[in-house]
Amino acid sequence: MARLTMAITRDEKAILPVSTYLSGEYGVFGVYIGAPAVIDAKGVREVLILDLLDEELEHYKKSAAILKSNVESIKKMK
């Protein structure tokens, strides 16, 4: 958290692993999930796209789908 705060307050444009909202990156939409991103004074400036193996990408998408499903389940409890 300290490193992330420093990147934001110093407008560093640092590359850090963060949980961020994806809008199509890695083929994932509408979920917060860990991804490498450029962090500056405004927060997440850009999500970086790594060249993943097909198997890695499928596992990532599966994890995102599970997260999204869990969030939807929690929303229905309210």
Side-chain angles (χ1 to χ4, degrees):
M1 187 58 79
R3 180 65 186 102
L4 182 59
T5 301
M6 284 175 32
I8 293 169
T9 57
R10 295 178 181 174
D11 194 23
E12 291 182 1
K13 296 170 186 62
I15 298 171
L16 297 170
V18 295
S19 182
T20 188
Y21 190 82
L22 297 188
S23 300
E25 298 87 356
Y26 298 100
V28 175
F29 294 85
V31 67
Y32 286 88
I33 190 169
V38 176
I39 307 297
D40 65 10
K42 294 182 180 180
V44 175
R45 175 186 181 130
E46 169 188 7
V47 175
L48 301 179
I49 306 299
L50 300 178
D51 188 22
L52 301 177
L53 299 173
D54 290 342
E55 182 180 4
E56 293 171 323
L57 184 58
E58 287 309 310
H59 286 297
Y60 189 80
K61 287 179 180 180
K62 186 175 181 178
S63 294
I66 291 168
L67 283 172
K68 194 170 187 176
S69 174
N70 288 342
V71 169
E72 291 302 317
S73 294
I74 292 168
K75 284 181 181 179
K76 290 178 183 176
M77 291 179 175
K78 292 184 176 184

